[in-house]
Amino acid sequence: MSSLREAVGDAAVTLVCTSSMGPERRVDPLSTTPETTVLWVTYSRPPADCAEQFRSAGASGSLSVIAVGDMPADADDVSVRSVSTPDDLTGLGITLSQAVSAHEAPVVCFDSLTALLQHVAVETAYEFLNALTGHLYAADVEAYFYLDPAPYDSRTVDALASLFDAVVEGGDGAWSARRRRLLQ
């Protein structure tokens, strides 16, 4: 597979496991139309950096950023919502749900589960992601969640992966995908 989007196929909610994809490449699968809104959840990058990367990647559409934690919440021509504490998963879930509801067919980029797991226990993150991915499935939203699997054992990665309908591994044009077979 030559691109992340090709590896994902028609999967709705995807876990991208790679340590080689820096935050500057996370916008790559978000090829959008001018009518599409990208909802970028970020734990580590200021919204202005997300906006700059979005524009420099040539993505069309609009960008809305949900900034988690203590970071500047300003960016030109970008809607920014904030969740002040990184472990406030209830606040994050509400904020993201409101953002999804405010846009027609948005694409979600969750940057990153690695950062999320620095602030909450794996069990707590699993429960949050179980509820969130269910909401995203129900809303028919395309979403990409990024995880660097290196710091975690295979049991943790497999538990998180069980919540997604595709798990993509690799990077730099060499992607492999595992897809969950859903009941139709």
Side-chain angles (χ1 to χ4, degrees):
M1 301 272 167
S2 61
S3 76
L4 178 57
R5 182 159 285 249
E6 289 174 342
V8 169
D10 63 353
V13 183
T14 301
L15 177 63
V16 182
C17 293
T18 180
S19 56
S20 66
M21 181 181 245
E24 69 282 352
R25 301 269 327 275
R26 301 230 163 109
V27 76
D28 285 355
L30 307 178
S31 58
T32 60
T33 66
E35 297 81 31
T36 303
T37 297
V38 172
L39 303 175
W40 193 328
V41 179
T42 180
Y43 270 79
S44 58
R45 300 184 72 198
D49 289 356
C50 296
E52 181 181 325
Q53 183 57 43
F54 183 77
R55 288 195 243 359
S56 69
S60 60
S62 62
L63 177 65
S64 181
V65 177
I66 299 173
V68 182
D70 186 26
M71 68 177 72
D74 60 330
D76 294 335
D77 302 324
V78 173
S79 168
V80 179
R81 300 171 190 230
S82 296
V83 177
S84 60
T85 56
D87 61 347
D88 180 8
L89 300 185
T90 300
L92 177 57
I94 290 169
T95 301
L96 186 52
S97 292
Q98 290 171 342
V100 165
S101 296
H103 301 284
E104 188 173 329
V107 176
V108 173
C109 174
F110 198 106
D111 183 16
S112 77
L113 295 183
T114 309
L116 169 71
L117 289 167
Q118 292 174 357
H119 300 284
V120 299
V122 172
E123 294 80 10
T124 303
Y126 181 91
E127 290 172 9
F128 168 72
L129 291 169
N130 187 35
L132 180 60
T133 55
H135 175 73
L136 296 173
Y137 284 124
D140 199 25
V141 171
E142 179 182 351
Y144 299 87
F145 290 75
Y146 293 87
L147 174 70
D148 178 354
Y152 308 104
D153 60 31
S154 62
R155 184 174 175 201
T156 299
V157 174
D158 290 344
L160 294 174
S162 71
L163 299 170
F164 298 88
D165 59 358
V167 177
V168 180
E169 298 170 320
D172 298 325
W175 297 104
S176 64
R178 291 181 287 146
R179 297 191 40 119
R180 178 171 65 168
R181 299 288 180 223
L182 300 176
L183 296 176
Q184 303 288 326

